[in-house]
Amino acid sequence: MPSNFDFANTTLKPLTPRDIGFLMAHFPRSRTDASETAVIADQFPNTLETLLESNFVAHAILDEQSALLNVSPFLFFNVLLRQTLTDHRDKERRKIVNYLAQTLTVFIDTERMLSPSAIAPRQQYITQMIQTAQQSSPHERFRIHVHIGNYALFLTSVFPDWIAHTHRFHKRVIDRRFYIDFGRAYYAEAANHSLARIYGLEKVLQQLARLFDHYMRELNRLSENYFHTH
């Protein structure tokens, strides 16, 4: 599998031993210790799923002001997504949760959010990203197409007011529907690429393309409930 593609995650592998220790410490009648966390991660993935979906862990994440100091951003976003999304219980939907948690984790870094690939310059506009993709190798083109889908989903769900403001007051022709249409189209384009199968992203990207509006609304609800960005 090609390396250095930070969006290519649909599993719980980004969880650190410290994350797993946090999960076990905030679940009733925990009997594990740090030495057992790796075993749990490798051999009992369903246990981790149960912990991530528990109200006990969610309350611990939300109640502790220093939560982000105690856990990774991936764990933080994963728990909030499971509290927000209404359809995350089956295997394929859990992959989407993990994918979205990884995307939010990566986009904490503004520079990374505006860099569609390892070799592309900082770009704020989708039209620039599309132009870069057209001039790139097939591998880089795939990465940029995935990034365009992620970028469009992130902006429309977390920053819809910014899009509306720039459309209305800066006289930009680009509105929220522009981002939605391009996000859906480029997720679909990426899903059809051979690398989507190599990375194990084919079904996830297909679902994000087909249900773009649904996940946009769910992420918007997460943003309003927990981040107050509006």
Side-chain angles (χ1 to χ4, degrees):
M1 178 182 292
S3 60
N4 300 321
F5 184 21
D6 50 10
F7 292 123
N9 175 66
T10 61
T11 71
L12 295 176
K13 288 184 178 179
L15 292 176
T16 67
R18 188 173 184 179
D19 288 337
I20 299 169
F22 181 92
L23 291 173
M24 300 305 295
H26 291 87
F27 197 70
R29 291 185 294 227
S30 169
R31 294 197 180 103
T32 191
D33 56 38
S35 65
E36 298 175 277
T37 57
V39 174
I40 292 172
D42 291 338
Q43 299 183 16
F44 302 100
N46 288 336
T47 299
L48 290 183
E49 297 286 357
T50 300
L51 292 172
L52 287 165
E53 292 166 1
S54 73
N55 289 329
F56 300 101
V57 169
H59 292 158
I61 289 283
L62 295 172
D63 289 345
E64 294 190 21
Q65 294 182 353
S66 60
L68 275 176
L69 299 177
N70 297 324
V71 301
S72 70
F74 177 80
L75 172 57
F76 181 77
F77 290 126
N78 207 298
V79 170
L80 295 190
L81 282 164
R82 289 164 191 264
Q83 288 292 305
T84 302
L85 298 181
T86 57
D87 55 352
H88 62 273
R89 295 286 176 163
D90 67 73
K91 182 178 179 180
E92 292 304 318
R93 296 300 173 89
R94 283 171 168 169
K95 289 182 179 179
I96 294 176
V97 169
N98 295 330
Y99 179 89
L100 293 176
Q102 179 71 2
T103 299
L104 292 173
T105 297
V106 172
F107 277 9
I108 289 176
D109 181 354
T110 303
E111 289 299 315
R112 180 64 187 87
M113 180 183 71
L114 297 176
S115 299
S117 78
I119 63 174
R122 189 177 188 269
Q123 297 171 342
Q124 182 176 354
Y125 303 113
I126 285 180
T127 51
Q128 294 175 313
M129 298 177 190
I130 294 172
Q131 185 176 11
T132 299
Q134 292 171 343
Q135 300 169 350
S136 300
S137 68
H139 184 270
E140 286 299 312
R141 190 177 305 124
F142 169 72
R143 291 162 64 105
I144 294 171
H145 287 175
V146 173
H147 182 91
I148 291 172
N150 293 339
Y151 186 70
L153 181 60
F154 183 76
L155 288 186
T156 54
S157 58
V158 180
F159 295 109
D161 288 348
W162 174 82
I163 296 174
H165 178 84
T166 57
H167 174 66
R168 179 177 180 182
F169 295 105
H170 293 201
K171 306 301 182 182
R172 291 185 64 200
V173 297
I174 297 174
D175 58 8
R176 196 182 192 189
R177 177 50 54 181
F178 169 92
Y179 286 101
I180 293 171
D181 291 343
F182 272 86
R184 183 187 293 114
Y186 278 90
Y187 271 141
E189 184 77 17
N192 290 326
H193 198 287
S194 60
L195 285 173
R197 292 186 292 277
I198 293 174
Y199 282 119
L201 295 176
E202 185 178 19
K203 291 183 179 180
V204 168
L205 295 174
Q206 286 173 349
Q207 284 291 88
L208 290 173
R210 188 172 68 86
L211 300 173
F212 187 96
D213 292 67
H214 165 72
Y215 285 105
M216 177 188 69
R217 289 191 295 269
E218 295 287 76
L219 286 174
N220 181 249
R221 190 155 61 92
L222 182 150
S223 176
E224 290 182 331
N225 288 343
Y226 300 114
F227 304 142
H228 310 292
T229 59
H230 294 49

